[in-house]
Structure formats: structure tokens, C-alpha cells
Amino acid sequence: MRARAAVASDLEALRLDVAGCTACTLCADRQRTVFADGDGSAGVLFVGWAPGSLEEEQGKPFLGRSGKLLTDIIEKGMGLPRSKVMITNVHKCRPAEDRDPTAAEAHICSPWLERQIELSGARVVVPLGERAAGHLLRRPNTPLESLRGQVHRVGGYKVIATYDPALLLEDPSKKRACWADIQRAMAELGLGPPGQRSPK
Ligand code: URA
């Protein structure tokens, strides 16, 4: 897998390789893989955990209500078009019946994401939620609160963890802390001190 991911010389080649992946059992039930949305030219990559049914149906990550909130964070909060950031997931296939993917499945899928980060040229990677953050920082099962609030250096990029938008919809009191994380990411991207209001 790592060798296959490494030979992809651009994101389109990687997307096609991912679409043909049969490395774990998630491929058996999938309608299609969900690779990414956006071109990443703003230097930032958002990473969720796994696509849901809407995302699988349309082949794009973060649609529906949590996708709308993520779009607001990017567009109203950061002042960037959603099309200029890249959005993806740790897992490129939706687990059947939305079961939680296993640690082994995350491990198998990992080289795709690692190569995607490299090829996207992301300077800042923002994992959305505890599982994505734990995966990217190689600290699985670590509470999100001990991973967020700081800038982690991983290889050539920085990781700034924040909440899963689905959790923000359940618990809007976390939006203020999410906004602090996003401001930290904006500072790393050189987007300057934001004058905008936190997205509602
Ligand atoms: N939640 C995720 O983690 N990823 C999606 O693509 C949608 C919702």
C-alpha cells in the first residue's frame, strides 16, 4: 500500500489508485470511494474520520449539516472559498452501516492520506475530531482536549486539531474553542489576525 501510494505522482493519480483499492474489507460494501473536495491551494487540509451515506452517494466529504457548518467555518470564518482548501477523511470508504472502522483498517488506509497530504502541499492539517486527531498525531484513544490548543509539527507540516462539526452541532458551546483553533490555523497560514466574527 505504502509503495502503491508513493508512486502516485499527482493527486489525480492518487485518486484513481484509491478508487481501485481493495486492501481492506471496507471495499466489499462500498458504492464508491470518497477522496477529497477542494484543490488545497490555500495550503490547508481538513481531515475527518470516515464518510457517511450522503458523502458516499455523492463522492464528496462533509456534505449535509456538518458539511454546511464546515463550509461556514472556512468561508465566513477564515474568509477562504471552500474550493481552495482540501477536505478529506482518514478513511476513503464508508464503513457499512456506519460502524466505526477498526484500528487495523485505519492503519491500512493511512498511506493514502499520508501521500495525499504530501501531494496537496498542505502547510497546515486540521483534523476534525478526536479520532482523526489521534490518528494524525499517532496518539489514538487520546482525549481531544489534550491534542488541541497547540500547534504540532509533523514532518513538513503543522497539525492543529479541532472538533468534528457534528459535535459542534450537538454542543454549540464548543464553537468558541473551535474558533480559537481556527484562528491558530489562520495565523500559521499567514492569513493575519482575523477581524471576522466567529461563524454562527
Ligand atoms: N464526518 C466525517 O468525519 N467525514 C465526512 O465526510 C462527513 C462527516
Side-chain angles (χ1 to χ4, degrees):
M1 274 287 291
R2 192 162 300 282
R4 268 183 67 200
V7 295
S9 57
D10 59 32
L11 286 163
E12 180 55 14
L14 190 69
R15 187 185 69 76
L16 291 172
D17 281 349
V18 165
C21 180
T22 55
C24 82
T25 55
L26 292 185
C27 69
D29 299 305
R30 76 170 174 232
Q31 278 179 53
R32 61 179 59 79
T33 52
V34 179
F35 182 65
D37 194 23
D39 66 14
S41 57
V44 57
L45 178 68
F46 290 86
V47 184
W49 183 234
S53 57
L54 195 59
E55 286 79 15
E56 179 180 49
E57 215 174 280
Q58 300 192 26
K60 282 188 180 176
F62 283 97
L63 303 172
R65 283 182 71 221
S66 60
K68 164 83 172 71
L69 179 54
L70 180 58
T71 304
D72 284 350
I73 290 169
I74 295 163
E75 301 204 330
K76 296 186 186 162
M78 301 178 80
L80 294 170
R82 177 171 160 140
S83 59
K84 299 284 175 215
V85 308
M86 186 172 284
I87 304 172
T88 190
N89 284 298
V90 172
H91 297 89
K92 308 307 187 202
C93 298
R94 175 192 172 210
E97 287 151 31
D98 296 317
R99 72 164 170 81
D100 205 17
T102 63
E105 285 160 348
H107 178 75
I108 291 169
C109 211
S110 197
W112 295 134
L113 176 62
E114 287 167 28
R115 186 71 177 135
Q116 189 172 19
I117 294 172
E118 271 170 25
L119 291 171
S120 74
R123 289 177 282 132
V124 174
V125 175
V126 181
L128 300 166
E130 186 167 295
R131 291 170 303 177
H135 178 84
L136 276 157
L137 293 168
R138 295 188 172 76
R139 288 171 65 188
N141 308 313
T142 305
L144 181 64
E145 291 308 334
S146 38
L147 300 177
R148 52 168 297 279
Q150 52 194 300
V151 179
H152 305 264
R153 278 161 215 279
V154 178
Y157 56 91
K158 292 174 180 163
V159 175
I160 297 172
T162 195
Y163 299 94
D164 182 336
L167 185 102
L168 297 176
L169 290 171
E170 274 170 33
D171 182 0
S173 72
K174 301 263 193 279
K175 282 188 181 178
R176 183 185 290 268
C178 173
W179 181 232
D181 299 331
I182 296 299
Q183 285 176 300
R184 206 169 278 117
M186 290 170 70
E188 291 296 331
L189 290 163
L191 292 176
Q196 302 98 321
R197 284 183 300 119
S198 161
K200 290 269 180 282

